[in-house]
Amino acid sequence: MTTSLPARTDVLVVGAGPAGLAAAITLAEAGVGFVLLDRLAEGANTSRACVVHARTLEVLAELGVTERLKEEGVVVPRFTVRDGASVLATVPFGGLPTAFPYTLMVPQERTEAVLLARLREAGGDVRRPYGVTALAGDDTGVTVTVSDADGTPGTVRARYVIGADGMHSTVREQAGIAFTGSSYAESFVLADVRMNWPLARDEVSLHLSPEGVTVVAPLPGAPDRYRVVATVAEAPERPGIADVQSIVDARGPEGGRTRVTDVLWSSRFRVHHRVAEHYRAGRVLLAGDAAHVHSPAGGQGMNTGIQDAVALGRLLARVVAGEPATILDGYETTRRPVATEVVAFTDRMTRMATLRPRPARLLRNTVLKAAFSLPPVRAKLAYQLAELAAR
């Protein structure tokens, strides 16, 4: 093996993305023995998820992470919904009942770096690169077969396994847990760019268009850095300046005035909306994208996953300390409804945003303007985006 692994551990965490790191920190802080594996030789070096909502900031504050994240990010106090030059809704976060009444924009590689530093302070680390190839569970634990970068096999015996290994989770598949749902027909462009965006940097904006849904958000580092997420019929594998320029020209608030000057990183991806049938199969439990995936329209995927992981880590710490294993049943009953609601909410947002017939769009815009002129409606959406109902 690349480096030696312990033969036994209390908890094996598979996947060192934000969810896996958050689970490991929670276990380390509770004094639980764990091993955190990841199949990649190094952590994220691209921004991918970049929105951290209020509830996640509350959870991470308990792990001593939030203030460090704030140093890395951009505080954004409002969310807007637009159709061309028309503002359909402005949703301020300032009135939320939380110590963090805003959204924080932080590239995922910085979030992972902060979480990893906190994990190392707590005495843990990530073992790389190890891929899981098989699980065999019984009444006392799970034997996990892994392989290193050279394909050399080995095993780790764990009392419990957390699968935080993403949408294509080997842990979930080996545990025989179904992942039900479907996929959107459109592909998504994801790009971090430099551009002279005409809107203020204190908002994340959702742009409705018959061509597709587009989200633009400020990124830290420079006043012209932005994240662009957009649905397109068929995106190129690596979207370039011309691709992003055509999107903002067609869908932005000031047609022709935005100039994209650089693409710092880009990707094409397909979006699914799926939830695991169960979050637990015996001694195997799921968290993060292994348990749920959905449209990025609300920026809630990573947030829900981190919240999963901390809740699960705390339950496992109690079980390892001697409480009955039946308390683990509460993980699915509390966290799976959160995921199903997020999946349904983001699906509604995505479908609403991409209405094509002009009469339907006009009706939608009229309804949105009327509804969001009411403070209770604005407050409800802010609360939902922030995931504060998941407390």
Side-chain angles (χ1 to χ4, degrees):
M1 306 296 290
T2 304
T3 57
S4 60
L5 292 175
R8 293 179 175 274
T9 189
D10 286 323
V11 181
L12 180 69
V13 183
V14 183
L21 288 165
I25 294 168
T26 306
L27 295 169
E29 287 289 285
V32 175
F34 71 92
V35 173
L36 172 60
L37 303 181
D38 197 271
R39 65 180 179 81
L40 300 178
E42 59 184 30
N45 59 9
T46 54
S47 62
R48 294 183 286 171
C50 63
V51 181
V52 187
H53 286 300
R55 177 55 188 156
T56 307
L57 293 170
E58 291 180 344
V59 169
L60 291 178
E62 297 170 4
L63 301 183
V65 170
T66 293
E67 290 305 314
R68 303 183 197 188
L69 276 182
K70 285 176 64 178
E71 294 174 1
E72 301 281 348
V74 176
V75 170
V76 179
R78 62 194 173 107
F79 174 77
T80 63
V81 181
R82 297 168 178 266
D83 185 346
S86 179
V87 179
L88 306 180
T90 298
V91 181
F93 295 116
L96 290 172
T98 174
F100 310 103
Y102 47 79
T103 283
L104 186 68
M105 303 300 302
V106 188
Q108 183 172 328
E109 77 271 16
R110 298 309 309 153
T111 298
E112 290 190 15
V114 169
L115 289 170
L116 179 58
R118 181 69 188 90
L119 176 61
R120 288 172 173 165
E121 289 176 1
D125 211 334
V126 184
R127 310 293 187 97
R128 303 176 181 273
Y130 290 100
V132 170
T133 58
L135 305 179
D138 54 41
D139 291 342
T140 61
V142 184
T143 299
V144 182
T145 303
V146 301
S147 63
D148 66 10
D150 298 323
T152 306
T155 61
V156 179
R157 178 74 174 175
R159 291 175 64 183
Y160 294 94
V161 173
I162 296 176
D165 49 341
M167 183 179 75
H168 302 292
S169 169
T170 300
V171 172
R172 185 188 63 239
E173 292 173 359
Q174 287 286 318
I177 299 174
F179 201 38
T180 56
S182 59
S183 305
Y184 293 103
E186 301 89 351
S187 56
F188 276 71
V189 166
L190 179 63
D192 291 350
V193 305
R194 292 185 182 276
M195 64 181 180
N196 62 328
W197 188 239
L199 301 181
R201 283 177 59 84
D202 64 351
E203 70 175 73
V204 173
S205 52
L206 171 66
H207 299 265
L208 313 185
S209 164
E211 292 83 13
V213 58
T214 306
V215 177
V216 178
L219 291 177
D224 62 346
R225 288 192 64 176
Y226 289 87
R227 157 63 54 85
V228 177
V229 184
T231 57
V232 297
E234 284 296 335
E237 184 176 355
R238 288 286 181 266
I241 290 177
D243 301 302
V244 181
Q245 186 71 61
S246 67
I247 289 169
V248 296
D249 283 347
R251 311 178 191 184
E254 300 284 345
R257 288 183 54 188
T258 299
R259 181 168 173 261
V260 180
T261 57
D262 193 13
V263 173
L264 305 170
W265 174 79
S266 69
S267 180
R268 172 190 66 194
F269 63 103
R270 295 280 179 182
V271 173
H272 305 257
H273 43 107
R274 301 177 185 274
V275 181
E277 286 286 330
H278 297 286
Y279 277 24
R280 180 187 181 193
R283 290 174 175 265
V284 177
L285 301 105
L286 305 177
D289 286 357
H292 46 76
V293 293
H294 51 82
S295 165
Q300 294 175 296
M302 181 181 72
N303 290 268
T304 307
I306 289 173
Q307 294 166 40
D308 291 341
V310 174
L312 178 55
R314 288 172 175 161
L315 286 172
L316 284 170
R318 291 168 57 190
V319 172
V320 169
E323 293 191 45
T326 52
I327 68 171
L328 293 175
D329 293 336
Y331 173 60
E332 179 173 323
T333 58
T334 56
R335 293 304 305 170
R336 192 172 185 276
V338 173
T340 56
E341 173 55 30
V342 169
V343 169
F345 171 61
T346 56
D347 183 56
R348 290 194 300 270
M349 286 182 66
T350 301
R351 296 186 187 282
M352 174 271 295
T354 54
L355 288 173
R356 283 182 166 79
R358 180 174 172 77
R361 299 201 319 271
L362 292 174
L363 176 61
R364 174 201 63 196
N365 292 359
T366 300
V367 170
L368 285 176
K369 279 188 173 182
F372 283 96
S373 68
L374 304 173
V377 176
R378 295 195 297 270
K380 181 179 180 180
L381 181 57
Y383 197 81
Q384 191 166 16
L385 285 168
E387 295 193 17
L388 293 176
R391 285 170 168 159

